[in-house]
Amino acid sequence: MPKINFIIFDLDGVLVETKDLHFKALNKSLLDCESGTQISYDEHIKVFDGLPTSEKIKILNSEKRVNKNLNKKIKDLKQINTVKLLKKEIKFNPKLYNLMEKLSKKYKIAVATNAVSSTLEICIKKLKIKKFLSFYISNEEVFNPKPHPEIYMKSMLQMKASPKETLIVE
């Protein structure tokens, strides 16, 4: 059995808990744009959680809940609102810091996320884990968001690691 040398962590739901934050940011953006709609928390959990903002908006477009003319404005506002909430709500986690410190002595560590790069950067900074990471990548650096494997393959290529020696934590 091959030895694990490389660990790829997801961001949302693994290193940080942002489920409620993304729910709040999207609804505030929909409200600020006077879209005439919002999503319920149940809907967020069952349909929207973990999807890139553009995908969430496409779903709302397909359900005729949001006019396509508002897409760019909603997406831009969602990012602004997300950044504000991240800066306010993401806190340093000493247990996570200690875990990353310990793992980094034995493994190469990466973060691969469907989040945009500004979200990734804020979280890494707030968690103070950048020095333990060999690599990190956002959805803006791939053509296909997760669950497509492109982000993992790109991470492994960057780190010169084979799938057999890589552990992915989702």
Side-chain angles (χ1 to χ4, degrees):
M1 180 173 222
K3 181 180 178 238
I4 298 296
N5 293 310
F6 184 50
I7 303 173
I8 304 173
F9 286 93
D10 183 26
L11 182 68
D12 293 331
V14 176
L15 301 179
V16 293
E17 191 50 64
T18 57
K19 191 179 305 250
D20 291 352
L21 187 143
H22 286 291
F23 169 71
K24 291 176 197 173
L26 179 59
N27 271 340
K28 178 158 179 26
S29 303
L30 290 168
L31 186 67
D32 291 349
C33 283
E34 300 177 2
S35 67
T37 193
Q38 291 202 304
I39 63 169
S40 70
Y41 192 74
D42 187 54
E43 218 178 352
H44 173 64
I45 300 301
K46 291 179 179 171
V47 178
F48 297 96
D49 188 41
L51 296 176
T53 302
S54 56
E55 293 300 312
K56 294 174 184 181
I57 296 169
K58 282 181 190 174
I59 291 169
L60 292 170
N61 291 154
S62 72
E63 295 174 348
K64 309 262 188 265
R65 292 170 64 185
V66 169
N67 186 314
K68 288 183 180 179
N69 296 337
L70 294 175
N71 286 10
K72 182 175 178 359
K73 188 174 181 183
I74 292 168
K75 187 175 179 180
D76 293 347
L77 278 172
K78 165 66 167 60
Q79 188 53 37
I80 291 166
N81 290 325
T82 300
V83 166
K84 285 180 187 174
L85 287 167
L86 285 167
K87 287 181 177 179
K88 180 181 166 192
E89 295 186 17
I90 300 298
K91 306 285 186 228
F92 174 72
N93 179 335
K95 288 182 181 177
L96 176 63
Y97 180 91
N98 291 337
L99 174 66
M100 295 301 250
E101 181 178 39
K102 188 177 258 185
L103 289 174
S104 70
K105 291 176 181 170
K106 188 173 179 180
Y107 306 99
K108 290 181 183 177
I109 300 174
V111 176
T113 180
N114 264 350
V116 296
S117 58
S118 58
T119 295
L120 175 59
E121 291 283 349
I122 291 166
C123 291
I124 287 171
K125 184 177 180 181
K126 297 283 274 183
L127 295 171
K128 301 178 183 178
I129 61 170
K130 189 172 187 171
K131 64 183 171 189
F132 304 126
L133 302 178
S134 299
F135 182 70
Y136 52 92
I137 184 170
S138 75
N139 71 351
E140 294 172 323
E141 298 167 73
V142 294
F143 293 105
N144 304 292
K146 291 189 235 171
H148 192 281
E150 179 186 358
I151 201 164
Y152 305 119
M153 294 185 304
K154 199 167 185 176
S155 298
M156 287 182 267
L157 283 171
Q158 179 68 31
M159 300 310 303
K160 297 175 178 59
S162 74
K164 290 180 180 181
E165 64 179 333
T166 303
L167 174 68
I168 298 172
V169 182
E170 273 289 330

